[in-house]
Amino acid sequence: MMKTFKLVIAGGGSTYTPGIVKSLLNQKDKFKLNELVLYDNNAERQEAVGVIVRHVVDLFDPDLKLTLTTDPETAMTDADFIFAQMRVGLYAMREKDEKIPLQYGVVGQETCGPGGLAYGLRTIYPMVELIDYCEKYAKPTYWIVNYSNPAAIVAKATFRLRPKARILNICDMPVAIERNMAEILGCDRHDLEVDYFGLNHFGWFTKVRLNGTDVTEQLKAYVAENGYMPKNEKSDVMHSDPSWLHTYANAKHICSAFHDYLPNTYMQYYLLGDEVVQSSDPHHTRANEVMEGREKRIFDAVADYRAGKEVDLTKFFGGVHGEFIVDVAMSLAFDLRQRHLVMVENKGAVENLPEDAMVEIPAYITDRGPEPVRVGAIPTFYKGLIEQQEAVEKLIVEAAIEHSYEKALMAFTLSKTVPSLFVAKKILDDMIEANKEYWPELH
Ligand code: NAD
Ligand code: G6P
Ligand code: MN
């Protein structure tokens, strides 16, 4: 008999849930679910998104049992897979993460700089709690595949606090960039294989191969001129807002200055901070764009369904985001040994970075977890950048564990996005006020 799986989506009320469910059910002939659970701590939001998910299930696997719950025991009991995508504090707090630093002329971003550190302090303990629920109720062979941001800090903190947890932290940005690379090259993204090193949202593609042929130099020349902007019309609905196009285009400034590698788009926040701040509107940030766009589209569609109107479900399906998490889960489930970029403990993979850094590198995904490749030593510029950022992430995790104001201030001060201790302190103090409900107390 075919093995079937109980799969939980933690953060069931996420804007990404319908797309992930569609990707999952696309694979139902190979990766058959016996139950799909949406789990969230916000019943109302999850009920709403659940209306869309119900229609997706009816369309693609009508006999599948769909459960919506806010009870961790009900959700996690005997679960095989837990896809985590929690946004602790919702978009209201993302808005503050972005706007507070901008008031001081500093990059205001979801996962980078002070905003990312604030989001990290909110998310560490809820993620630890999720792991504890899984340890208690899920199958002993459970896997958490985690998208919850800031994934770099989540990975570091959960590894430190729950080293035995069966959690694999992933990010869709490299695959999204690969999708653009494929459009630039006129090929399928699955025919590309990359070499890569870095931390999450802080890395570099060192080689790109198309069916085995090295196309790195060709891509570098293109990106130095155009960024990751394909010349043809992009079909994907993900990352198509003007602010994302600006981000993709910005890669050209990095690629035309430093010729070794192809940057992750997130490097703009560290290397082009002045340009990023100048092109930001401190009163209307990405959080506002998403609340007025992706989030609103979901809740408008729910209202339409509830009013008995037809909805075009396809507008929730696009994107490599759903495909990637399902690919990783299937490789874990069936020991497919597919090669994916994931976050793992360094342990010498990048020779001249700390052993305990959580690096993002290629790994073969087996049913026992990731088997990372060896990267070797990296050049001074990249090593220096990564060591600084890695120390920032380590300090913020230690601040959370030790309730240390001073370590939090060190993390904010050390971030390459922050010009001085004075500015770091002002932002941190405002962030403490804004995050009263969420952060561990700092003394
Ligand atoms: P969203 O706000 O639409 O959804 C998040 C859901 O998580 C909400 O329904 C919220 O109620 C729920 N939640 C918050 N705290 C929770 C808790 N303690 N327990 C259970 N549920 C909880 O956010 P979104 O835009 O859909 O993003 C979801 C998450 O995925 C965010 O963390 C985002 O940063 C992350 N993300 C990561 C990647 C990646 O590359 N790793 C890509 C896309 C999104
Ligand atoms: C990419 C990153 C995610 C991040 C998202 C933000 O997909 O990999 O980690 O959360 O972008 O996108 P948004 O559309 O919400 O600004
Ligand atoms: Mn990411």
Side-chain angles (χ1 to χ4, degrees):
M1 247 209 10
M2 191 180 183
K3 186 170 185 230
T4 61
F5 300 88
K6 174 174 172 178
L7 191 142
V8 182
I9 299 187
S14 156
T15 55
Y16 292 99
T17 303
I20 290 180
V21 171
K22 154 72 168 30
S23 295
L24 271 169
L25 302 187
N26 257 351
Q27 299 294 339
K28 70 171 184 219
D29 296 335
K30 293 184 216 149
F31 189 43
K32 179 76 182 154
L33 305 186
N34 53 53
E35 184 178 1
L36 172 65
V37 181
L38 305 189
Y39 164 73
D40 205 290
N41 63 359
N42 182 331
E44 197 191 337
R45 186 183 176 94
Q46 173 160 268
E47 289 293 331
V49 172
V51 169
I52 311 269
V53 173
R54 177 81 263 164
H55 281 83
V56 177
V57 169
D58 286 346
L59 203 58
F60 294 99
D61 193 2
D63 297 329
L64 174 63
K65 179 177 175 194
L66 172 67
T67 307
L68 272 62
T69 182
T70 55
D71 173 39
E73 181 172 356
T74 308
M76 260 43 99
T77 298
D78 293 329
D80 297 284
F81 281 94
I82 300 88
F83 286 2
Q85 44 164 354
M86 303 180 335
R87 184 183 291 286
V88 180
L90 299 166
Y91 277 95
M93 289 308 295
R94 175 174 177 178
E95 186 180 6
K96 292 187 184 174
D97 293 343
E98 293 170 349
K99 288 185 177 171
I100 292 171
L102 279 171
Q103 282 167 19
Y104 299 99
V106 169
V107 168
Q109 215 278 325
E110 178 195 24
T111 63
C112 301
L117 297 176
Y119 191 11
L121 284 178
R122 288 201 298 280
T123 310
I124 290 172
Y125 285 104
M127 280 302 299
V128 167
E129 184 181 61
L130 180 72
I131 289 173
D132 291 346
Y133 291 142
C134 294
E135 288 283 328
K136 192 161 170 199
Y137 302 121
K139 293 228 182 92
T141 51
Y142 79 84
W143 276 107
I144 300 172
V145 189
N146 181 55
Y147 263 145
S148 312
N149 268 323
I153 294 169
V154 167
K156 200 156 185 63
T158 52
F159 193 80
R160 179 91 173 254
L161 292 165
R162 296 292 183 273
K164 294 203 169 66
R166 295 169 64 87
I167 179 169
L168 182 56
N169 295 283
I170 62 167
C171 170
D172 64 14
M173 195 71 247
V175 266
I177 295 171
E178 285 172 50
R179 169 204 59 198
N180 283 22
M181 289 174 173
E183 297 223 16
I184 291 162
L185 296 164
C187 67
D188 187 307
R189 76 174 173 89
H190 297 96
D191 294 332
L192 297 178
E193 183 183 88
V194 301
D195 294 338
Y196 185 97
F197 70 79
L199 309 171
N200 178 233
H201 291 186
F202 203 96
W204 305 84
F205 297 88
T206 59
K207 280 273 183 272
V208 183
R209 289 174 292 275
L210 168 55
N211 290 322
T213 302
D214 188 342
V215 290
T216 320
E217 293 309 316
Q218 184 189 338
L219 270 173
K220 276 191 207 165
Y222 183 94
V223 177
E225 218 167 287
N226 310 288
Y228 291 112
M229 294 288 287
K231 291 255 160 65
N232 45 342
E233 205 41 47
K234 290 214 293 123
S235 50
D236 211 302
V237 299
M238 187 185 160
H239 297 174
S240 53
D241 287 345
S243 53
W244 267 108
L245 302 184
H246 181 85
T247 292
Y248 280 124
N250 258 354
K252 68 170 176 269
H253 301 299
I254 302 172
C255 220
S256 57
F258 306 126
H259 302 99
D260 296 315
Y261 309 130
L262 289 144
N264 189 303
T265 43
Y266 276 93
M267 292 311 301
Q268 71 167 339
Y269 298 109
Y270 303 95
L271 301 178
L272 311 172
D274 49 358
E275 192 279 345
V276 167
V277 170
Q278 276 155 29
S279 59
S280 301
D281 176 351
H283 305 294
H284 193 268
T285 58
R286 180 67 193 151
N288 300 106
E289 290 180 8
V290 179
M291 288 188 271
E292 292 155 12
R294 188 167 69 234
E295 203 183 34
K296 182 170 183 299
R297 279 196 294 279
I298 289 251
F299 291 109
D300 285 352
V302 174
D304 284 350
Y305 267 133
R306 285 178 169 156
K309 291 191 205 150
E310 278 295 304
V311 168
D312 173 16
L313 279 176
T314 56
K315 63 183 170 201
F316 305 115
F317 291 167
V320 294
H321 178 85
E323 291 166 19
F324 180 54
I325 193 167
V326 174
D327 282 346
V328 170
M330 286 176 70
S331 203
L332 287 166
F334 304 118
D335 199 27
L336 299 180
R337 292 152 193 266
Q338 286 175 358
R339 180 182 163 115
H340 293 294
L341 299 186
V342 294
M343 285 161 242
V344 291
E345 198 196 9
N346 184 31
K347 279 186 178 156
V350 184
E351 248 167 63
N352 50 353
L353 286 179
E355 290 280 303
D356 65 345
M358 290 302 287
V359 290
E360 192 167 60
I361 55 176
Y364 291 88
I365 310 298
T366 78
D367 59 1
R368 286 155 288 112
E371 291 184 352
V373 306
R374 297 192 66 77
V375 173
I378 59 173
T380 305
F381 177 65
Y382 309 92
K383 175 172 178 278
L385 284 169
I386 291 175
E387 279 176 339
Q388 179 180 26
Q389 179 63 15
E390 204 274 328
V392 169
E393 289 164 6
K394 183 177 282 177
L395 284 162
I396 206 70
V397 169
E398 288 178 359
I401 295 172
E402 298 165 21
H403 294 255
S404 166
Y405 178 88
E406 195 167 324
K407 284 206 169 158
L409 185 56
M410 286 173 170
F412 277 63
T413 307
L414 188 60
S415 174
K416 193 173 183 334
T417 59
V418 176
S420 82
L421 164 58
F422 299 123
V423 176
K425 188 165 182 349
K426 284 181 193 152
I427 297 176
L428 175 59
D429 290 345
D430 285 4
M431 292 283 200
I432 288 174
E433 187 58 28
N435 283 277
K436 272 203 292 248
E437 269 179 70
Y438 297 100
W439 278 11
E441 217 175 300
L442 303 177
H443 322 276

